[in-house]
C-alpha cells in the first residue's frame, strides 16, 4: 500500500517538474508585471502549492482504470455513513484474529484514513503560515476542496468514465477537513513555509528602474558599439571593447551618468545618495558587470584558456547582474552595490509616472 502511494506521488512530482518548467516563464513574467519584481516568498509558496497540488491530484485520482468495461459492476460507489472506517477496521481485525493498538495502526482502514488526514495537512499549514487564514477559513476551504474531489470521483471524473472507479466517501470528507485543521494547528512550527508579504511590501518602490529597462539600455548601447565597429573600426574586437568603455564609463562621467541607451530607456546612473556618480564608481560598476565580462571574454579568456573558469565567470556575472536583481526591491545588482551606484529615472519619465499615479 505504501509502495503504491509512493509510486503515485512520484508520478505527480514528475508531472510538477514538467508543468513547472512550462509555466515558469509565464508565471515569472506575470509576477514581475504585477509587482515590478519577483518576490521570493511569493514565488516559493506559489511553486510549492503547484507541486503539492499535482502530487495530491495524482494520489487522489491515479491510477486511471485500464479497462473501462469493467467499471459498471453494480458495486456501491458512495459511502454516506460517517466513521464507517472504524467498523471496517474492527471487522478486518476480527477476521484475522488480531487485537491491540499495533494491529489497529497496521490495518488498511486505519492507514487509509491516516493518509487522508496527512494529504490535507500541507494545505492547512500554507493557508495559515503563508496567507494568515484563520481556523474557520481553513476548515471551510479544506471542506470545499475535499467535497469537490468527492463529487468528481462520484461522477466518474465529471462524466469522463461511465461509472466511478473510486468510492466517494463521507469519511474522506471528514478526514481531509480534519487534516486541513491539523495543518493549521501545527503551522507555527513549519519553519520552511514563509509568510507571504502583502502586495505593497512585495512590489518594487515606485520609480524603480527595473532590470528589463536596464537591459533595453544595454542592448541600445551594444547596438551603437556594433554600428561604430562595423563602419569605422578595424576588425579586432578589442577596438569595439574600447568604444564600449568610452560609451559606458567615459560618456556617463561627462554626461551625468547618461549613456545613449540610458537616454533611450529613460534612466541615468547616479550614486546611491542621488548625487553625481564619479568616474571611479562608474568604472567599478562596469568592471564587475557587462563590460568586465566582455573584457574577460575578449582579452583574458584567450590567454588563460580554461573552459571551467570561463563558465564560472560568465555564470557569476550573469547571475549577480541580471538574475538576482529581479528578486530585490531596488533591482540593484551586486556590481552596483559594490560601486555604490543606482539607476534613476530621467525627469521626463518621473513626470510621466507621477501623472499616471495621479490618474489612478
Amino acid at each position: 500500500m505504501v509502495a503504491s502511494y509512493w509510486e503515485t506521488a512520484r508520478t505527480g512530482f514528475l508531472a510538477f517538474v514538467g508543468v513547472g518548467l512550462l509555466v515558469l516563464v509565464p508565471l515569472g513574467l506575470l509576477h514581475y508585471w504585477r509587482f515590478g519584481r519577483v518576490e521570493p516568498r511569493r514565488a516559493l509558496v506559489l511553486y510549492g502549492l503547484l507541486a503539492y497540488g499535482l502530487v495530491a491530484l495524482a494520489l487522489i485520482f491515479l491510477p486511471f482504470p485500464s479497462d473501462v468495461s469493467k467499471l459498471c459492476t453494480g458495486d456501491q460507489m458512495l459511502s454516506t455513513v460517517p466513521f464507517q472506517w472504524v467498523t471496517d477496521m474492527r471487522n478486518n481485525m476480527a477476521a484475522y484474529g488480531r487485537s491491540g493498538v499495533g494491529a489497529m495502526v497496521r490495518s488498511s482502514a486505519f492507514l487509509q484514513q491516516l493518509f487522508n488526514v496527512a494529504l490535507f495537512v500541507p494545505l492547512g499549514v500554507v493557508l495559515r503560515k503563508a496567507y494568515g487564514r484563520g481556523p474557520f477559513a481553513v476548515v471551510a476551504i479544506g471542506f470545499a476542496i475535499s467535497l469537490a474531489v468527492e463529487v468528481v470521483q462520484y461522477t466518474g471524473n465529471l462524466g469522463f468514465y461511465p461509472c466511478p472507479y473510486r468510492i466517494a466517501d463521507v469519511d474522506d470528507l471528514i478526514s481531509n477537513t480534519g487534516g486541513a485543521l491539523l495543518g493549521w494547528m501545527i503551522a507555527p512550527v513549519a519553519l520552511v513555509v514563509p509568510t507571504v508579504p502583502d502586495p505593497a511590501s512585495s512590489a518594487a518602490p515606485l520609480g524603480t528602474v527595473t532590470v528589463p529597462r536596464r537591459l533595453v539600455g544595454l542592448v541600445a548601447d551594444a547596438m551603437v558599439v556594433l554600428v561604430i565597429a562595423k563602419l569605422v573600426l578595424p576588425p579586432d574586437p578589442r577596438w569595439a571593447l574600447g568604444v564600449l568603455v568610452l560609451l559606458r564609463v567615459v560618456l556617463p562621467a561627462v554626461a551625468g551618468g547618461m549613456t545613449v541607451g540610458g537616454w533611450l530607456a529613460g534612466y541615468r546612473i547616479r550614486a546611491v545618495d542621488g548625487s553625481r556618480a564619479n568616474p571611479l564608481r562608474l568604472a567599478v560598476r562596469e568592471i564587475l558587470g557587462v563590460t568586465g565580462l566582455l573584457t574577460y571574454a575578449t582579452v583574458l579568456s584567450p590567454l588563460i584558456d580554461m573552459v571551467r573558469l570561463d563558465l564560472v565567470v560568465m555564470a557569476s556575472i550573469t547571475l549577480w547582474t541580471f538574475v538576482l536583481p529581479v528578486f530585490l526591491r531596488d533591482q540593484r545588482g551586486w556590481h552596483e552595490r559594490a560601486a555604490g551606484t543606482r539607476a534613476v529615472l530621467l525627469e521626463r519619465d518621473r513626470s510621466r509616472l507621477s501623472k499616471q499615479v495621479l490618474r489612478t
Side-chain angles (χ1 to χ4, degrees):
M1 179 172 162
V2 175
S4 64
Y5 283 155
W6 172 254
E7 184 60 30
T8 305
R10 179 175 173 272
T11 302
F13 181 76
L14 291 177
F16 159 71
V17 172
V19 173
L21 290 176
L22 289 176
V23 303
L24 176 63
V25 173
L27 282 180
L29 291 175
L30 179 62
H31 200 135
Y32 199 91
W33 174 79
R34 180 181 178 188
F35 298 107
R37 70 171 183 137
V38 177
E39 212 293 323
R41 289 164 292 182
R42 282 182 174 270
L44 177 62
V45 171
L46 178 63
Y47 267 82
L49 282 174
L50 179 62
Y52 163 69
L54 290 174
V55 171
L57 288 175
L59 289 169
I60 291 170
F61 292 106
L62 296 182
F64 294 126
S66 57
D67 190 351
V68 178
S69 63
K70 296 181 180 180
L71 290 182
C72 303
T73 60
D75 294 339
Q76 177 60 258
M77 300 301 287
L78 177 65
S79 176
T80 58
V81 180
F83 303 106
Q84 177 64 37
W85 71 272
V86 178
T87 302
D88 295 340
M89 181 183 64
R90 288 174 177 172
N91 293 338
N92 181 265
M93 292 170 62
Y96 288 95
R98 298 172 180 172
S99 62
V101 176
M104 180 188 73
V105 298
R106 290 195 301 269
S107 67
S108 59
F110 179 86
L111 290 175
Q112 179 66 43
Q113 294 309 306
L114 183 64
F115 164 77
N116 287 333
V117 171
L119 187 63
F120 272 56
V121 167
L123 177 65
V125 170
V126 171
L127 287 176
R128 178 179 182 179
K129 189 69 181 294
Y131 296 105
R133 296 294 187 266
F136 295 107
V138 170
V139 167
I141 293 172
F143 178 83
I145 294 176
S146 180
L147 180 62
V149 167
E150 299 304 318
V151 169
V152 171
Q153 288 180 337
Y154 184 66
T155 58
N157 292 5
L158 300 178
F160 186 83
Y161 295 104
C163 297
Y165 64 94
R166 294 284 181 93
I167 297 176
D169 195 343
V170 68
D171 281 344
D172 292 351
L173 196 61
I174 296 171
S175 299
N176 294 157
T177 306
L181 180 60
L182 178 61
W184 181 88
M185 295 170 64
I186 66 174
V189 299
L191 301 180
V192 296
V193 180
T195 299
V196 173
D198 59 82
S201 300
S202 300
L206 193 65
T208 298
V209 179
T210 60
V211 172
R213 184 187 285 260
R214 293 204 299 273
L215 277 173
V216 170
L218 176 62
V219 170
D221 286 338
M223 294 299 295
V224 172
V225 172
L226 289 176
V227 170
I228 294 175
K230 190 71 174 178
L231 298 178
V232 179
L233 300 179
D236 191 336
R238 288 175 292 186
W239 284 95
L241 182 63
V243 174
L244 182 64
V245 172
L246 291 174
L247 195 63
R248 300 279 295 182
V249 178
V250 178
L251 177 60
V254 175
M258 187 87 69
T259 68
V260 175
W263 178 79
L264 291 172
Y267 71 88
R268 69 171 74 234
I269 305 302
R270 308 290 283 183
V272 175
D273 59 7
S275 63
R276 190 185 186 103
N278 60 47
L280 178 60
R281 291 186 184 278
L282 294 170
V284 170
R285 180 181 186 272
E286 289 302 314
I287 289 172
L288 298 179
V290 174
T291 303
L293 175 61
L294 294 177
T295 301
Y296 174 84
T298 304
V299 179
L300 297 179
S301 179
L303 298 176
I304 299 174
D305 194 20
M306 292 180 60
V307 176
R308 291 183 179 179
L309 182 60
D310 293 346
L311 293 175
V312 170
V313 172
M314 292 176 61
S316 299
I317 294 181
T318 301
L319 185 66
W320 71 51
T321 304
F322 300 115
V323 178
L324 290 180
V326 169
F327 297 91
L328 304 176
R329 295 198 72 199
D330 60 8
Q331 301 282 282
R332 293 169 63 214
W334 297 115
H335 64 305
E336 294 173 302
R337 296 180 185 278
T341 61
R342 64 186 179 96
V344 299
L345 292 176
L346 298 181
E347 184 61 36
R348 69 170 195 262
D349 293 83
R350 287 202 299 269
S351 300
R352 187 183 303 118
L353 181 63
S354 300
K355 293 177 181 178
Q356 292 175 352
V357 172
L358 290 176
R359 284 198 297 267
T360 57

